[in-house]
Amino acid sequence: SFQSAAMGGVFARFPRALLVHRAGGPAGRALYVFLVAGPAPALRGMARVVHLAVPRDESAGSLSRMYGAFRAFNPAGAETRLLLVGPGLPQLPALAQAFPAAEVQLSVFHLCKRLQQQIQRLALGGHAEHLILAALSDAVCTATESSRRKMHALLSDLVTPDLLPQLHIHWLLDDEIWAVHRERSWGESSNYFRDLEMVTQGLSQVFSAGLSLESCITSLAQHYQKCFSKSPPGAATCSSPHPDHCAARAAPQSLPPSEEINRRTEERIKQSLSDICTEPAARLCLSEFAVVQKSVQLIGTGEDTLSVQVLEDAHRVDLKGLSSCTCHFNQVFQLPCRHILAVLNSDKKTLQPEMLCRQWQKGCDACQAGQDSADGLLDVLKSSWNESLDKSLVVSFLTAEISRLLTHCSGEEFERRYRTLRELADSWIGPYVEVKL
């Protein structure tokens, strides 16, 4: 078992909800990661990790000793009221016995990860798979009963009956599983899933390296310290931070040359986003860039594309103009996504106006909307009247007005309006037809 003073300080402050994640490794070994799962806005990324353990084996006795060690490290474990676990976690009675005052519940994060992996293995075809994964993303971020029922109906219709049992789609309709997650806002859910994905993937990669047990624990501890020290100020509240962390924060000018160059590049990219994009667009892109800064990017060069991988998500960025990517964010919002920003960051470049749609550029929205309306009106005046032209004019004005309402609002209002449009489109045309807004 491994736990630093900083980890213990975090758990002492947020003991009520604990997530237990299991990662398999070489030689039949398993890594158990204990993370704060309850509401904790000050915690991001690796700061949620409060304990790491590699049991000798996964028998009931061995896991009981592991959970006992956690309780010995953390007296605040008596205050834990909710334990979130993945499907099939071994020896659940041993966990329940170690935390008698806590309820053991299936983790929504693990449920959705398992569902995503199984859907991808089914090879349903590009269109069907995209529809299902988009519905799953919506269910994760909103967790409403209607979004979960829509996901359930979609799976029931698109997956053959003989394959449905392995998906356990009844979990989508279990209100107890989703009760805690439903309390999170759209942004909180997105950040929570992103944090867990980054942490579990990073630790799993270190653990699966095939090192000796002692070297493995050392590597895990070093990985934790490295990620934790990169967290922005205020990302964690601990009782006794490591002295080296304080020194790093007090003397940013002592950064190595390469880190200083990277920092300056990142600041220039942020400034270019603020200078060129409208305010809602800049906020969306900055949230994407925050993922780039905290993640590992693998960038491969092809003949006419770059393959960008941020953690497990691989997408293709068009080299010509760096304005197009295959990811959902870029396809829907037509904005620079985390993959495009990762390429800019890697090449030490900044955002240029030609990489951005005119509707998102500062000062261009009203002008463009007026031009579009004027062009449409000119076409009508030049032509003889007919019903289709009349409808076309109404549609063009309505489209321009909706675009204006989306670009002139706060980030929170933007998300609300966009989701309202998404619900209206799905209700009108049907959830089985992809509607691009």
Side-chain angles (χ1 to χ4, degrees):
S1 295
F2 169 80
Q3 179 175 308
S4 68
M7 291 175 170
V10 169
F11 183 70
R13 291 183 63 97
F14 306 102
R16 295 191 66 82
L18 187 66
L19 184 143
V20 181
H21 172 75
R22 177 192 178 277
R29 291 205 305 260
L31 169 67
Y32 282 72
V33 185
F34 297 76
L35 306 99
V36 167
L43 299 183
R44 293 302 308 272
M46 195 63 71
R48 285 186 175 272
V49 177
V50 295
H51 194 86
L52 300 170
V54 181
R56 184 180 300 275
D57 55 57
E58 294 186 277
S59 64
S62 184
L63 293 184
S64 292
R65 287 190 293 274
M66 180 188 73
Y67 295 133
F70 178 89
R71 289 298 304 269
F73 270 97
N74 301 284
E79 301 175 37
T80 301
R81 295 294 178 266
L82 178 64
L83 294 165
L84 298 176
V85 301
L89 187 77
Q91 310 295 345
L92 278 181
L95 177 63
Q97 187 176 5
F99 296 86
E103 176 188 2
V104 180
Q105 187 61 270
L106 186 63
S107 159
V108 171
F109 168 75
H110 288 93
L111 181 160
C112 292
K113 282 295 296 179
R114 175 169 172 167
L115 196 54
Q116 178 189 27
Q117 291 165 358
Q118 289 179 329
I119 289 168
Q120 290 171 337
R121 289 194 194 106
L122 292 177
L124 298 173
H127 183 66
E129 182 176 304
H130 176 75
L131 280 177
I132 293 174
L133 293 180
L136 179 61
S137 176
D138 193 54
V140 164
C141 290
T142 58
T144 61
E145 183 179 359
S146 63
S147 66
R148 290 184 284 119
R149 287 193 176 278
K150 184 186 297 182
M151 177 70 186
H152 186 276
L154 201 59
L155 286 170
S156 300
D157 285 352
L158 296 180
V159 178
T160 57
D162 59 310
L163 297 175
L164 279 177
Q166 62 183 285
L167 298 180
H168 296 281
I169 63 174
H170 61 277
W171 286 339
L172 291 166
L173 304 182
D174 190 327
D175 288 334
E176 290 186 11
I177 293 176
W178 295 83
V180 175
H181 185 71
R182 197 164 52 238
E183 297 174 0
R184 293 185 171 95
S185 67
W186 186 90
E188 290 169 344
S189 296
S190 179
N191 290 335
Y192 176 70
F193 271 75
R194 190 175 292 169
D195 284 350
L196 293 184
E197 184 68 32
M198 179 183 68
V199 170
T200 55
Q201 286 288 331
L203 290 171
S204 295
Q205 288 175 7
V206 174
F207 183 65
S208 61
L211 305 171
S212 66
L213 184 58
E214 292 78 7
S215 299
C216 180
I217 292 295
T218 301
S219 297
L220 288 169
Q222 290 172 343
H223 177 77
Y224 166 82
Q225 294 284 34
K226 177 183 177 182
C227 295
F228 187 85
S229 63
K230 287 183 178 179
S231 298
T237 307
C238 304
S239 57
S240 53
H242 194 281
D244 290 346
H245 299 166
C246 298
R249 291 173 186 166
Q253 69 275 15
S254 62
L255 287 171
S258 61
E259 290 188 28
E260 178 63 21
I261 292 172
N262 288 338
R263 186 186 67 79
R264 289 178 181 175
T265 300
E266 292 168 357
E267 290 302 319
R268 290 174 58 220
I269 291 174
K270 289 180 182 178
Q271 188 61 47
S272 68
L273 287 169
S274 299
D275 291 343
I276 296 172
C277 301
T278 60
E279 195 264 342
R283 276 207 305 269
L284 285 167
C285 294
L286 286 172
S287 70
E288 286 287 292
F289 191 46
V291 179
V292 173
Q293 292 174 288
K294 292 184 292 185
S295 305
V296 176
Q297 302 104 46
L298 303 176
I299 301 178
T301 305
E303 183 176 346
D304 56 355
T305 62
L306 286 176
S307 176
V308 179
Q309 184 172 356
V310 180
L311 291 180
E312 86 294 351
D313 296 326
H315 291 283
R316 293 186 300 280
V317 174
D318 185 2
L319 271 174
K320 184 184 259 183
L322 293 179
S323 59
S324 174
C325 179
T326 57
C327 75
H328 179 74
F329 179 91
N330 179 262
Q331 295 295 310
V332 171
F333 294 110
Q334 297 294 301
L335 284 169
C337 61
R338 66 189 70 171
H339 313 103
I340 292 175
L341 294 171
V343 175
L344 290 176
N345 192 38
S346 175
D347 292 346
K348 307 296 185 286
K349 295 179 180 178
T350 62
L351 185 72
Q352 300 301 316
E354 58 268 19
M355 300 178 188
L356 201 65
C357 291
R358 288 182 60 83
Q359 69 178 35
W360 289 115
Q361 294 182 29
K362 284 184 175 178
C364 289
D365 47 349
C367 177
Q368 181 65 33
Q371 184 63 40
D372 291 344
S373 299
D375 290 345
L377 183 59
L378 190 60
D379 289 339
V380 172
L381 291 174
K382 286 181 178 179
S383 308
S384 58
W385 182 91
N386 62 59
E387 187 177 358
S388 62
L389 272 176
D390 186 50
K391 287 181 179 178
S392 176
L393 185 61
V394 172
V395 169
S396 67
F397 281 133
L398 181 59
T399 302
E401 179 63 10
I402 290 174
S403 298
R404 188 188 67 78
L405 290 172
L406 282 175
T407 54
H408 290 79
C409 58
S410 66
E412 182 179 355
E413 183 67 13
F414 176 90
E415 293 296 342
R416 189 182 70 80
R417 290 177 180 178
Y418 177 80
R419 293 199 166 275
T420 300
L421 282 174
R422 174 86 272 163
E423 289 289 331
L424 286 171
D426 288 344
S427 299
W428 181 29
I429 300 176
Y432 309 116
V433 178
E434 185 179 6
V435 182
K436 185 174 181 180
L437 294 179

